[in-house]
Amino acid sequence: MKQYLLSPGPTAVPERVLLRMAAPMIHHRTPQFSAIFAETKAMLEQVYKTSNDALMLSSSGSGAMEAAVMNLCSPGETMIYVNAGKFGERWGKIAAKHGIITVEIKVAWGEAVALADVQAALEAHPEAKALFVQASETSTTTEQPIQAIAALTKDLNTVTVVDAITALGVIDMPMDDWGLDVVISGSQKALMLPPGLATIALSDKAWAMVEASKGCNTFYFDLLTERKNQKKGKDTTAWTPAASLIIGLNEVLKMMLEEGLDNLYARHKVLAAAARAGFQALGMKLVSSSPATSATGAFVPDGVDGAAFVKYLRDEMGVTFAGGQDDLKGKIIRVAHLGYTDVFDVCTTMSAVEIALFKFGHPVQMGAGVAAAQTVLAARFANVV
Ligand SMILES: Cc1ncc(COP(=O)(O)O)c(C=O)c1O
């Protein structure tokens, strides 16, 4: 059976990248690797749209989330976090491990945080070192207003930390222009790589805070040590890097820049619009009132077991999506359209969902979702978007 990986991470790895990573291993403490590292880092900074260092860490995205918490905050200090889903909740869990006092802004699943609530938390807690938020909360497929949030902390002693694990390389989120203080990403999402590499960039304001902060006890995730090693001219990592992934990232970033960042954002935007149109045509309600550009979540019809639905699609049809977590377990399907995806992946998605609906005994007009998606997608070929 042909397999289609259309989950919001891991995502499909382009053939070009797989081939590049298949080359014989090289030693990482060599001029040969340093040249690749320097080129990769410079391209990554172009995607981040920052003049600061974009660092690479050998971990999944959560490692970079914890690195941000540990380097900015010390035990006994306060941080604010937006909990709008599974990944927002993670900030609180990380902080608890390190004895950091947390102020939680709880948001209903599927909704974007209200700026008034962010403002109120910041006013009530001027002592907070940082405010942590997801650009795209993958568990609910919801985009958060990170530009506006960063504007609220701009003149405060608080920094804005953005988990852009399913947003960097999906939406235009210029780090420096928007005043985002920390931006985190992970390899297995729009960076089109296998899991295992995280990236993180800090603003001058955030670096000053890290330099002044005692921070939490960490050896491996000391960002000052990483910055010293990864700086231009030194072009290495403190510890053994995930070398194959960095070599793969070099190819990925070339692909992204060849496509052109504006084209890349436009592609993601149209794919997301098509997925939304497809689900709506099938009468499947969207999970989010502020839908993400990276992935779309939709409720499965009443009477359909969402977990069985997603399992059937994966095991019997060869199409891997994601289901719901926690409160949304068994109720939704999440389909991705980030990274190495294009128009026909959304058509495949809709076609597969229609067939699965039929299999689960739900009345479905075959082709309705595909047609709605195709109508949106056709504009991409007509160069209207
Ligand atoms: C928004 C978001 N944050 C954090 C994570 C956690 O990253 P990782 O699984 O790479 O540790 C994910 C991964 O699914 C994510 O989508």
Side-chain angles (χ1 to χ4, degrees):
M1 198 191 330
K2 183 167 179 181
Q3 297 293 317
Y4 299 84
L5 181 57
L6 294 167
S7 79
T11 60
V13 180
E15 297 79 359
R16 203 176 131 177
V17 178
L18 290 170
L19 284 172
R20 182 82 190 277
M21 289 194 300
M25 196 64 223
I26 57 170
H27 198 289
H28 56 279
R29 304 290 184 209
T30 55
Q32 191 189 359
F33 183 75
S34 281
I36 297 169
F37 185 85
E39 186 186 41
T40 307
K41 182 167 171 286
M43 289 191 289
L44 185 61
E45 286 155 6
Q46 283 185 57
V47 174
Y48 265 82
K49 299 194 174 173
T50 184
S51 59
N52 273 301
D53 295 294
L55 307 178
M56 288 166 257
L57 306 176
S58 302
S59 75
S60 77
S62 302
M65 289 172 73
E66 184 163 30
V69 173
M70 288 190 295
N71 282 266
L72 290 164
C73 308
S74 310
E77 290 181 339
T78 303
M79 60 170 262
I80 303 170
Y81 71 105
V82 175
N83 177 358
K86 197 84 193 141
F87 297 109
E89 182 186 55
R90 189 162 297 175
W91 298 120
K93 289 186 173 173
I94 295 170
K97 282 273 179 204
H98 296 290
I100 297 160
I101 300 163
T102 53
V103 176
E104 179 188 63
I105 306 176
K106 188 105 172 92
V107 182
W109 281 40
E111 284 176 24
V113 65
L115 288 178
D117 292 345
V118 176
Q119 176 85 52
L122 289 167
E123 279 171 13
H125 296 280
E127 79 284 11
K129 300 291 291 288
L131 182 136
F132 295 83
V133 65
Q134 272 58 42
S136 156
E137 172 51 76
T138 321
S139 63
T140 66
T141 60
T142 298
E143 224 147 80
Q144 300 289 352
I146 51 165
Q147 182 181 13
I149 291 173
L152 295 178
T153 61
K154 186 170 168 281
D155 299 319
L156 307 179
N157 293 324
T158 308
V159 294
T160 298
V161 180
V162 179
D163 162 359
I165 291 173
T166 50
L168 187 82
V170 177
I171 56 167
D172 191 15
M173 41 175 296
M175 180 171 172
D176 291 358
D177 283 0
W178 286 10
L180 310 173
D181 292 303
V182 180
V183 175
I184 293 163
S185 192
S187 55
Q188 77 278 22
K189 311 283 185 175
L191 296 179
M192 307 187 279
L193 289 166
L197 187 74
T199 65
I200 184 167
L202 283 75
S203 68
D204 291 337
K205 181 179 166 188
W207 277 120
M209 188 179 279
V210 170
E211 281 160 7
S213 180
K214 195 168 135 293
C216 299
N217 285 334
T218 175
F219 173 76
Y220 192 76
F221 285 120
D222 182 342
L223 293 179
L224 290 169
T225 306
E226 278 304 340
R227 180 175 63 168
K228 200 166 72 196
N229 282 279
Q230 298 195 21
K231 268 254 168 268
K232 198 168 163 37
K234 200 133 188 258
D235 306 323
T236 190
T237 52
W239 326 121
T240 301
S244 307
L245 294 174
I246 292 173
I247 291 166
L249 182 59
N250 183 279
E251 200 64 31
V252 162
L253 292 166
K254 281 181 180 153
M255 285 179 70
M256 288 168 92
L257 296 173
E258 279 166 20
E259 179 176 3
L261 293 179
D262 288 342
N263 293 332
L264 178 136
Y265 305 136
R267 168 168 59 86
H268 282 96
K269 217 169 171 171
V270 78
L271 298 183
R276 291 194 293 271
F279 279 125
Q280 279 161 339
L282 293 173
M284 292 171 72
K285 191 172 164 291
L286 299 182
V287 174
S288 180
S289 56
S290 166
T293 313
S294 52
T296 300
F299 287 96
V300 294
D302 284 345
V304 172
D305 173 352
F309 190 75
V310 171
K311 187 171 182 301
Y312 175 80
L313 280 157
R314 184 193 64 207
D315 297 345
E316 305 299 328
M317 297 181 67
V319 194
T320 300
F321 298 118
Q325 295 156 296
D326 290 356
D327 283 356
L328 294 176
K329 204 175 168 80
K331 296 185 189 155
I332 65 165
I333 179 169
R334 290 176 298 146
V335 306
H337 27 73
L338 78 167
Y340 193 42
T341 54
D342 215 326
V343 295
F344 297 113
D345 295 303
V346 181
C347 295
T348 299
T349 294
M350 287 306 146
S351 171
V353 168
E354 288 171 9
I355 294 170
L357 285 171
F358 175 73
K359 155 78 188 170
F360 277 71
H362 185 75
V364 55
Q365 192 201 327
M366 286 296 173
V370 176
Q374 257 182 339
T375 306
V376 176
L377 294 167
R380 174 163 162 77
F381 283 121
N383 272 340
V384 193
V385 289

